[in-house]
Coordinates of all heavy atoms in Angstrom, one line a residue:
M1196 N 9.9 7.6 -21.8 CA 10.3 7.5 -20.4 C 11.5 8.4 -20.2 O 12.5 8.3 -20.8 CB 10.7 6.0 -20.0 CG 11.0 5.9 -18.6 SD 11.2 4.2 -18.0 CE 11.1 3.1 -19.3
A1197 N 11.3 9.4 -19.2 CA 12.3 10.4 -19.0 C 13.4 9.8 -18.1 O 13.1 8.9 -17.2 CB 11.7 11.6 -18.3
I1198 N 14.6 10.2 -18.3 CA 15.8 9.8 -17.4 C 16.3 11.0 -16.7 O 16.6 12.0 -17.3 CB 16.9 9.2 -18.3 CG1 16.4 8.0 -19.1 CG2 18.1 8.8 -17.5 CD1 17.4 7.4 -20.1
I1199 N 16.3 10.8 -15.3 CA 16.8 11.9 -14.5 C 17.7 11.4 -13.5 O 17.7 10.3 -13.1 CB 15.6 12.7 -13.8 CG1 14.8 11.7 -12.9 CG2 14.7 13.3 -14.8 CD1 13.7 12.4 -12.1
G1200 N 18.6 12.3 -13.0 CA 19.6 12.0 -12.0 C 19.0 12.0 -10.6 O 17.9 12.6 -10.4
V1201 N 19.7 11.5 -9.6 CA 19.2 11.4 -8.2 C 19.0 12.9 -7.7 O 18.0 13.2 -7.1 CB 20.2 10.7 -7.3 CG1 19.8 10.8 -5.9 CG2 20.2 9.2 -7.7
Y1202 N 19.9 13.7 -8.0 CA 19.8 15.1 -7.4 C 18.6 15.8 -8.0 O 17.8 16.4 -7.2 CB 21.1 15.9 -7.8 CG 21.0 17.4 -7.4 CD1 21.2 17.7 -6.0 CD2 20.6 18.4 -8.3 CE1 21.1 19.0 -5.6 CE2 20.5 19.7 -7.8 CZ 20.7 20.0 -6.5 OH 20.6 21.3 -6.1
E1203 N 18.3 15.7 -9.3 CA 17.1 16.3 -9.8 C 15.9 15.7 -9.3 O 14.9 16.3 -9.0 CB 17.2 16.2 -11.4 CG 16.0 16.8 -12.0 CD 16.0 16.7 -13.5 OE1 16.9 16.1 -14.1 OE2 15.1 17.3 -14.2
A1204 N 15.9 14.3 -9.1 CA 14.7 13.6 -8.6 C 14.4 14.1 -7.2 O 13.3 14.3 -6.8 CB 15.0 12.1 -8.6
R1205 N 15.5 14.3 -6.3 CA 15.2 14.8 -5.0 C 14.7 16.2 -4.9 O 13.8 16.6 -4.2 CB 16.5 14.7 -4.2 CG 16.9 13.3 -3.8 CD 18.0 13.1 -2.9 NE 18.8 14.3 -2.6 CZ 20.0 14.3 -2.0 NH1 20.6 13.2 -1.7 NH2 20.6 15.5 -1.7
T1206 N 15.3 17.1 -5.8 CA 14.9 18.5 -5.7 C 13.5 18.8 -6.4 O 12.9 19.7 -6.0 CB 16.0 19.4 -6.4 OG1 16.2 19.0 -7.7 CG2 17.3 19.3 -5.6
R1207 N 13.1 17.9 -7.3 CA 11.8 18.1 -8.0 C 10.8 16.9 -7.7 O 10.0 16.7 -8.5 CB 12.1 18.2 -9.5 CG 13.0 19.4 -9.8 CD 13.3 19.5 -11.3 NE 12.1 19.4 -12.1 CZ 12.2 18.8 -13.3 NH1 13.3 18.4 -13.8 NH2 11.1 18.7 -14.0
F1208 N 11.0 16.3 -6.6 CA 10.2 15.1 -6.3 C 8.7 15.3 -6.4 O 8.0 14.5 -7.0 CB 10.6 14.5 -4.9 CG 10.1 13.1 -4.7 CD1 10.5 12.0 -5.4 CD2 9.1 12.9 -3.7 CE1 10.0 10.8 -5.2 CE2 8.6 11.6 -3.5 CZ 9.0 10.6 -4.2
S1209 N 8.2 16.3 -5.8 CA 6.8 16.6 -5.8 C 6.3 16.8 -7.2 O 5.2 16.2 -7.6 CB 6.5 17.9 -5.0 OG 5.1 18.1 -4.9
E1210 N 7.0 17.5 -8.0 CA 6.6 17.7 -9.4 C 6.6 16.4 -10.2 O 5.7 16.1 -11.0 CB 7.6 18.7 -10.1 CG 7.3 18.9 -11.6 CD 8.5 19.6 -12.3 OE1 9.2 20.4 -11.6 OE2 8.6 19.4 -13.5
I1211 N 7.7 15.6 -9.9 CA 7.8 14.3 -10.6 C 6.6 13.4 -10.2 O 6.0 12.7 -11.1 CB 9.2 13.6 -10.3 CG1 10.3 14.4 -10.9 CG2 9.2 12.1 -10.6 CD1 11.7 14.0 -10.5
L1212 N 6.2 13.4 -8.9 CA 5.1 12.6 -8.5 C 3.8 13.0 -9.2 O 3.0 12.2 -9.6 CB 4.9 12.6 -7.0 CG 5.9 11.8 -6.2 CD1 5.6 11.9 -4.7 CD2 5.9 10.3 -6.6
D1213 N 3.6 14.3 -9.4 CA 2.5 14.8 -10.1 C 2.4 14.3 -11.5 O 1.4 13.9 -12.0 CB 2.4 16.4 -10.1 CG 2.1 16.9 -8.7 OD1 1.6 16.2 -7.9 OD2 2.5 18.1 -8.5
R1214 N 3.6 14.3 -12.2 CA 3.7 13.8 -13.5 C 3.5 12.3 -13.6 O 2.8 11.8 -14.5 CB 5.0 14.2 -14.1 CG 5.1 15.7 -14.4 CD 6.5 16.2 -14.8 NE 6.9 15.6 -16.0 CZ 8.1 15.8 -16.6 NH1 9.0 16.7 -16.0 NH2 8.5 15.3 -17.7
V1215 N 4.0 11.6 -12.6 CA 3.8 10.1 -12.6 C 2.3 9.8 -12.4 O 1.7 8.9 -13.0 CB 4.6 9.5 -11.4 CG1 4.1 8.1 -11.2 CG2 6.1 9.5 -11.8
A1216 N 1.6 10.6 -11.6 CA 0.2 10.4 -11.4 C -0.6 10.6 -12.7 O -1.7 10.1 -12.8 CB -0.3 11.4 -10.3
Q1217 N 0.0 11.4 -13.6 CA -0.7 11.6 -14.9 C -0.3 10.5 -15.9 O -0.6 10.6 -17.1 CB -0.3 13.0 -15.4 CG -0.9 14.1 -14.6 CD -0.4 15.5 -15.0 OE1 0.3 15.6 -16.0 NE2 -0.7 16.5 -14.2
G1218 N 0.6 9.6 -15.5 CA 0.9 8.4 -16.4 C 2.3 8.4 -16.9 O 2.7 7.5 -17.6
E1219 N 3.1 9.4 -16.5 CA 4.5 9.4 -17.0 C 5.4 8.4 -16.2 O 5.1 8.2 -15.0 CB 5.1 10.8 -16.9 CG 6.0 11.2 -17.9 CD 6.3 12.7 -17.9 OE1 5.5 13.5 -17.6 OE2 7.5 13.0 -18.2
R1220 N 6.5 8.0 -16.8 CA 7.4 7.1 -16.1 C 8.8 7.7 -16.1 O 9.2 8.5 -17.1 CB 7.6 5.7 -16.9 CG 6.3 4.9 -16.8 CD 6.4 3.7 -17.6 NE 7.4 2.8 -16.9 CZ 7.9 1.8 -17.4 NH1 7.6 1.4 -18.7 NH2 8.8 1.0 -16.8
F1221 N 9.6 7.5 -15.1 CA 10.9 8.0 -15.0 C 11.9 7.0 -14.6 O 11.6 6.1 -13.8 CB 11.0 9.1 -13.9 CG 10.2 10.4 -14.2 CD1 8.9 10.5 -13.9 CD2 10.9 11.4 -14.8 CE1 8.2 11.6 -14.3 CE2 10.2 12.6 -15.1 CZ 8.8 12.7 -14.8
V1222 N 13.1 7.1 -15.1 CA 14.2 6.2 -14.7 C 15.2 7.2 -13.9 O 15.6 8.2 -14.4 CB 15.0 5.6 -15.9 CG1 16.3 4.9 -15.4 CG2 14.1 4.7 -16.7
I1223 N 15.5 6.7 -12.7 CA 16.4 7.5 -11.8 C 17.8 6.9 -12.0 O 18.0 5.7 -11.9 CB 16.0 7.4 -10.4 CG1 14.5 7.8 -10.2 CG2 16.8 8.3 -9.5 CD1 14.1 9.2 -10.4
T1224 N 18.8 7.8 -12.2 CA 20.1 7.3 -12.4 C 21.0 7.9 -11.3 O 20.8 8.9 -10.7 CB 20.7 7.7 -13.7 OG1 20.8 9.1 -13.8 CG2 19.9 7.1 -14.9
R1225 N 22.0 7.1 -11.0 CA 23.1 7.6 -10.0 C 24.4 7.4 -10.8 O 24.8 6.4 -11.2 CB 23.1 6.7 -8.8 CG 24.3 7.1 -7.8 CD 24.3 6.3 -6.6 NE 23.2 6.6 -5.7 CZ 22.6 5.7 -5.0 NH1 23.0 4.4 -5.0 NH2 21.6 6.0 -4.2
R1226 N 25.0 8.6 -11.0 CA 26.3 8.7 -11.8 C 26.1 8.0 -13.2 O 26.9 7.3 -13.7 CB 27.4 8.1 -11.1 CG 27.7 8.8 -9.8 CD 29.0 8.2 -9.1 NE 29.2 8.9 -7.9 CZ 29.1 8.4 -6.7 NH1 28.8 7.1 -6.5 NH2 29.3 9.1 -5.6
G1227 N 24.9 8.2 -13.8 CA 24.6 7.7 -15.1 C 24.2 6.3 -15.2 O 23.8 5.8 -16.3
I1228 N 24.1 5.6 -14.1 CA 23.7 4.2 -14.0 C 22.2 4.1 -13.5 O 21.9 4.6 -12.4 CB 24.6 3.4 -13.1 CG1 26.0 3.4 -13.7 CG2 24.1 1.9 -13.0 CD1 27.0 2.8 -12.7
P1229 N 21.3 3.5 -14.3 CA 19.9 3.4 -13.8 C 19.8 2.6 -12.5 O 20.4 1.5 -12.4 CB 19.2 2.7 -15.0 CG 20.1 2.8 -16.2 CD 21.5 3.0 -15.6
V1230 N 19.1 3.2 -11.6 CA 19.0 2.5 -10.3 C 17.5 2.3 -9.9 O 17.2 1.4 -9.0 CB 19.7 3.2 -9.1 CG1 21.2 3.1 -9.3 CG2 19.2 4.6 -9.0
A1231 N 16.6 3.0 -10.5 CA 15.2 2.9 -10.1 C 14.3 3.3 -11.2 O 14.7 4.1 -12.1 CB 14.9 3.6 -8.8
V1232 N 13.1 2.9 -11.2 CA 12.0 3.3 -12.1 C 10.8 3.8 -11.2 O 10.4 3.1 -10.3 CB 11.6 2.2 -13.1 CG1 10.4 2.7 -13.9 CG2 12.7 1.7 -13.9
I1233 N 10.3 5.0 -11.5 CA 9.1 5.5 -10.9 C 8.0 5.5 -11.9 O 8.2 6.1 -13.0 CB 9.3 6.9 -10.3 CG1 10.4 6.9 -9.3 CG2 8.0 7.4 -9.7 CD1 10.7 8.2 -8.7
E1234 N 7.0 4.7 -11.6 CA 5.9 4.6 -12.6 C 4.6 4.6 -11.8 O 4.5 4.2 -10.7 CB 6.0 3.4 -13.5 CG 6.0 2.1 -12.7 CD 6.3 0.9 -13.6 OE1 6.7 1.1 -14.8 OE2 6.2 -0.2 -13.1
P1235 N 3.5 4.9 -12.5 CA 2.2 4.8 -11.8 C 1.8 3.4 -11.4 O 2.2 2.5 -12.1 CB 1.2 5.3 -12.9 CG 2.0 5.9 -14.0 CD 3.4 5.3 -13.9
V1236 N 1.1 3.3 -10.3 CA 0.6 2.0 -9.9 C -0.6 1.7 -10.6 O -1.3 2.5 -11.1 CB 0.3 2.0 -8.3 CG1 1.6 2.2 -7.5 CG2 -0.7 3.0 -8.0
S1237 N -0.9 0.4 -10.7 CA -2.1 -0.1 -11.4 C -3.3 0.3 -10.5 O -3.3 0.2 -9.3 CB -2.1 -1.6 -11.5 OG -1.0 -2.0 -12.2
P1238 N -4.3 0.8 -11.2 CA -5.5 1.2 -10.4 C -6.1 0.0 -9.7 O -6.2 -1.1 -10.2 CB -6.5 1.7 -11.4 CG -6.0 1.3 -12.8 CD -4.5 0.9 -12.6
Q1239 N -6.5 0.2 -8.4 CA -7.0 -0.9 -7.6 C -8.5 -1.0 -7.9 O -9.2 0.0 -7.9 CB -6.8 -0.6 -6.1 CG -5.3 -0.6 -5.7 CD -4.7 -2.0 -5.9 OE1 -5.3 -3.0 -5.5 NE2 -3.5 -2.0 -6.3
K1240 N -9.0 -2.2 -8.0 CA -10.4 -2.5 -8.3 C -11.1 -2.2 -6.9 O -10.8 -2.8 -5.9 CB -10.6 -3.9 -8.7 CG -12.1 -4.3 -8.9 CD -12.2 -5.7 -9.2 CE -13.6 -6.2 -8.9 NZ -13.7 -7.6 -8.9
K1241 N -12.1 -1.4 -7.0 CA -12.9 -1.1 -5.7 C -13.8 -2.3 -5.5 O -14.4 -2.9 -6.5 CB -13.8 0.1 -5.9 CG -12.9 1.4 -5.8 CD -13.8 2.5 -5.5 CE -12.9 3.7 -5.2 NZ -13.6 4.8 -4.6
R1242 N -13.9 -2.8 -4.3 CA -14.7 -3.9 -3.9 C -16.0 -3.4 -3.3 O -16.1 -2.4 -2.7 CB -14.0 -4.8 -3.0 CG -12.7 -5.4 -3.6 CD -11.8 -6.2 -2.7 NE -12.4 -6.6 -1.4 CZ -11.7 -7.2 -0.5 NH1 -10.4 -7.5 -0.7 NH2 -12.2 -7.6 0.6
K1243 N -17.0 -4.2 -3.6 CA -18.3 -3.9 -3.0 C -18.3 -4.2 -1.5 O -17.6 -5.1 -1.0 CB -19.4 -4.7 -3.6 CG -19.7 -4.4 -5.1 CD -20.8 -5.2 -5.7 CE -21.0 -4.8 -7.1 NZ -22.1 -5.6 -7.7
I1244 N -19.0 -3.4 -0.7 CA -19.0 -3.5 0.7 C -19.5 -4.9 1.1 O -19.0 -5.5 2.1 CB -19.8 -2.4 1.4 CG1 -19.6 -2.4 2.9 CG2 -21.3 -2.5 1.1 CD1 -18.3 -1.9 3.4
E1245 N -20.4 -5.4 0.4 CA -21.0 -6.7 0.7 C -19.9 -7.8 0.6 O -19.8 -8.7 1.4 CB -22.1 -7.1 -0.2 CG -23.4 -6.2 -0.1 CD -23.3 -4.9 -0.9 OE1 -22.3 -4.8 -1.7 OE2 -24.2 -4.1 -0.6
E1246 N -19.0 -7.7 -0.4 CA -17.9 -8.6 -0.5 C -16.9 -8.6 0.6 O -16.4 -9.6 1.1 CB -17.1 -8.4 -1.8 CG -17.8 -8.6 -3.1 CD -17.1 -8.2 -4.3 OE1 -15.9 -7.7 -4.2 OE2 -17.6 -8.3 -5.4
V1247 N -16.6 -7.3 1.1 CA -15.7 -7.2 2.2 C -16.3 -7.7 3.5 O -15.6 -8.4 4.2 CB -15.4 -5.7 2.4 CG1 -14.6 -5.4 3.6 CG2 -14.7 -5.1 1.2
I1248 N -17.6 -7.5 3.7 CA -18.3 -8.0 4.9 C -18.3 -9.6 4.9 O -18.0 -10.2 5.9 CB -19.7 -7.5 5.0 CG1 -19.6 -6.0 5.4 CG2 -20.5 -8.2 6.1 CD1 -21.0 -5.3 5.3
A1249 N -18.5 -10.1 3.7 CA -18.5 -11.6 3.6 C -17.1 -12.2 3.9 O -17.0 -13.2 4.5 CB -19.0 -12.0 2.2
E1250 N -16.1 -11.5 3.4 CA -14.7 -11.9 3.6 C -14.4 -11.9 5.1 O -13.7 -12.8 5.7 CB -13.7 -11.0 2.9 CG -12.3 -11.5 2.9 CD -11.4 -10.7 2.1 OE1 -11.8 -10.2 1.0 OE2 -10.2 -10.5 2.4
I1251 N -14.8 -10.8 5.8 CA -14.6 -10.7 7.3 C -15.3 -11.8 8.0 O -14.7 -12.4 8.9 CB -15.1 -9.3 7.8 CG1 -14.1 -8.2 7.2 CG2 -15.1 -9.3 9.3 CD1 -14.6 -6.8 7.5
K1252 N -16.5 -12.1 7.6 CA -17.3 -13.2 8.2 C -16.6 -14.6 8.0 O -16.5 -15.4 8.9 CB -18.7 -13.3 7.7 CG -19.5 -12.1 8.3 CD -21.0 -12.2 7.7 CE -21.8 -11.1 8.3 NZ -23.2 -11.1 7.8
R1253 N -16.1 -14.8 6.8 CA -15.3 -16.1 6.5 C -14.1 -16.1 7.4 O -13.8 -17.2 8.0 CB -14.9 -16.1 5.1 CG -16.0 -16.6 4.2 CD -15.5 -16.9 2.8 NE -14.8 -15.9 2.1 CZ -15.4 -14.9 1.4 NH1 -16.7 -14.8 1.3 NH2 -14.6 -13.9 0.8
F1254 N -13.4 -15.0 7.6 CA -12.2 -15.0 8.4 C -12.5 -15.3 9.9 O -11.9 -16.1 10.5 CB -11.5 -13.6 8.3 CG -10.3 -13.5 9.2 CD1 -9.1 -13.8 8.7 CD2 -10.4 -13.0 10.5 CE1 -7.9 -13.7 9.5 CE2 -9.3 -12.8 11.3 CZ -8.0 -13.2 10.8
R1255 N -13.6 -14.7 10.4 CA -14.0 -15.0 11.7 C -14.4 -16.4 12.0 O -14.2 -17.0 13.1 CB -15.2 -14.0 12.1 CG -14.7 -12.6 12.2 CD -15.8 -11.7 12.7 NE -16.2 -12.0 14.0 CZ -17.3 -11.6 14.6 NH1 -18.2 -10.9 13.9 NH2 -17.6 -12.0 15.8
R1256 N -15.0 -17.1 11.0 CA -15.4 -18.5 11.1 C -14.1 -19.4 11.3 O -14.1 -20.4 12.0 CB -16.2 -19.0 10.0 CG -17.7 -18.6 10.1 CD -18.6 -19.3 9.1 NE -18.3 -19.0 7.7 CZ -18.9 -18.0 7.0 NH1 -19.8 -17.2 7.6 NH2 -18.5 -17.7 5.8
K1257 N -13.1 -19.0 10.6 CA -11.9 -19.8 10.6 C -11.0 -19.5 11.8 O -10.2 -20.4 12.2 CB -11.1 -19.6 9.3 CG -11.7 -20.1 8.0 CD -10.9 -19.8 6.8 CE -11.5 -20.3 5.6 NZ -10.7 -19.9 4.4
H1258 N -11.0 -18.3 12.3 CA -10.1 -17.9 13.4 C -10.9 -17.6 14.7 O -11.6 -16.6 14.8 CB -9.4 -16.7 13.0 CG -8.5 -16.9 11.7 ND1 -9.1 -16.7 10.5 CD2 -7.2 -17.2 11.6 CE1 -8.1 -17.0 9.6 NE2 -7.0 -17.3 10.2
K1259 N -10.8 -18.6 15.6 CA -11.5 -18.4 16.9 C -10.5 -18.0 18.0 O -9.3 -18.1 17.9 CB -12.1 -19.8 17.2 CG -13.1 -20.3 16.2 CD -14.3 -19.5 16.2 CE -15.3 -20.1 15.2 NZ -16.5 -19.3 15.0
L1260 N -11.1 -17.5 19.0 CA -10.3 -17.0 20.2 C -10.1 -18.2 21.2 O -9.5 -17.9 22.2 CB -11.1 -15.9 20.9 CG -11.1 -14.6 20.2 CD1 -12.0 -13.6 20.9 CD2 -9.7 -14.0 20.0
S1261 N -10.5 -19.4 20.8 CA -10.4 -20.5 21.7 C -11.1 -20.2 23.0 O -12.2 -19.9 23.1 CB -8.9 -20.9 21.9 OG -8.3 -21.2 20.7
K1262 N -10.3 -20.3 24.1 CA -10.9 -20.1 25.4 C -10.7 -18.7 25.9 O -11.1 -18.4 27.1 CB -10.3 -21.1 26.4 CG -10.5 -22.6 26.1 CD -9.8 -23.5 27.0 CE -10.0 -24.9 26.6 NZ -9.4 -25.9 27.5
L1263 N -10.2 -17.9 25.1 CA -10.0 -16.5 25.5 C -11.3 -15.7 25.5 O -12.2 -15.9 24.6 CB -9.0 -15.8 24.6 CG -7.6 -16.4 24.6 CD1 -6.7 -15.7 23.6 CD2 -7.0 -16.2 26.0
D1264 N -11.4 -14.7 26.4 CA -12.6 -13.9 26.5 C -12.2 -12.5 26.0 O -11.2 -12.0 26.3 CB -13.1 -13.9 27.9 CG -14.3 -13.0 28.1 OD1 -15.3 -13.1 27.3 OD2 -14.3 -12.2 29.1
I1265 N -13.1 -11.9 25.2 CA -12.9 -10.5 24.7 C -12.5 -9.6 25.9 O -11.6 -8.8 25.8 CB -14.1 -10.0 23.9 CG1 -14.3 -10.8 22.6 CG2 -13.9 -8.5 23.6 CD1 -13.3 -10.5 21.6
K1266 N -13.3 -9.7 27.0 CA -13.1 -8.8 28.1 C -11.7 -8.9 28.7 O -11.0 -8.0 29.0 CB -14.1 -9.0 29.2 CG -14.1 -8.1 30.3 CD -15.2 -8.3 31.3 CE -15.1 -7.3 32.4 NZ -16.2 -7.5 33.4
E1267 N -11.2 -10.2 28.8 CA -9.9 -10.5 29.3 C -8.8 -9.9 28.4 O -7.8 -9.3 28.8 CB -9.6 -12.0 29.4 CG -10.5 -12.6 30.5 CD -10.3 -14.1 30.5 OE1 -9.4 -14.6 29.8 OE2 -11.1 -14.8 31.2
L1268 N -9.0 -10.0 27.1 CA -8.1 -9.4 26.1 C -8.0 -7.9 26.2 O -6.9 -7.3 26.2 CB -8.4 -9.8 24.7 CG -8.3 -11.3 24.3 CD1 -8.8 -11.6 22.9 CD2 -6.9 -11.8 24.4
I1269 N -9.1 -7.3 26.4 CA -9.2 -5.8 26.5 C -8.4 -5.4 27.8 O -7.6 -4.5 27.7 CB -10.6 -5.3 26.5 CG1 -11.2 -5.5 25.1 CG2 -10.7 -3.8 26.9 CD1 -12.7 -5.3 25.1
E1270 N -8.7 -6.1 28.8 CA -8.0 -5.8 30.1 C -6.5 -6.0 30.0 O -5.7 -5.3 30.6 CB -8.6 -6.6 31.2 CG -10.0 -6.2 31.6 CD -10.7 -7.2 32.6 OE1 -10.0 -8.2 33.0 OE2 -11.8 -6.9 33.0
E1271 N -6.1 -7.0 29.2 CA -4.6 -7.2 29.0 C -4.0 -6.2 28.0 O -2.8 -6.2 27.8 CB -4.4 -8.6 28.6 CG -4.6 -9.6 29.7 CD -4.3 -11.0 29.2 OE1 -3.5 -11.2 28.2 OE2 -4.9 -12.0 29.7
G1272 N -4.8 -5.4 27.4 CA -4.3 -4.5 26.4 C -4.0 -5.1 25.0 O -3.3 -4.5 24.3
R1273 N -4.6 -6.2 24.7 CA -4.3 -6.9 23.5 C -5.3 -6.4 22.4 O -5.2 -6.8 21.3 CB -4.4 -8.4 23.6 CG -3.3 -8.9 24.5 CD -3.3 -10.4 24.5 NE -2.3 -10.9 25.4 CZ -2.1 -12.2 25.6 NH1 -2.9 -13.1 25.1 NH2 -1.2 -12.6 26.4
M1274 N -6.3 -5.7 22.7 CA -7.3 -5.2 21.7 C -7.4 -3.7 21.7 O -7.1 -3.0 22.6 CB -8.6 -5.9 21.9 CG -8.6 -7.3 21.4 SD -10.2 -8.0 21.2 CE -10.9 -7.2 19.8

């Protein structure tokens, strides 16, 4: 894990992000004191479209508009 100062991190930020994307980690220091760690994020699992659609349908079953009408909401600028 590389240790770099705030000034260097600011001036070389784009390069540092490229290196982080390749798996490298950095500790950012201010006056020699570590203040942050920049590291790659965990890869997100891609979900199947069918799962997403099912989740949206479950949400819609639980959350109703009550007595509100879609047309009224649109007219009020809420959608």
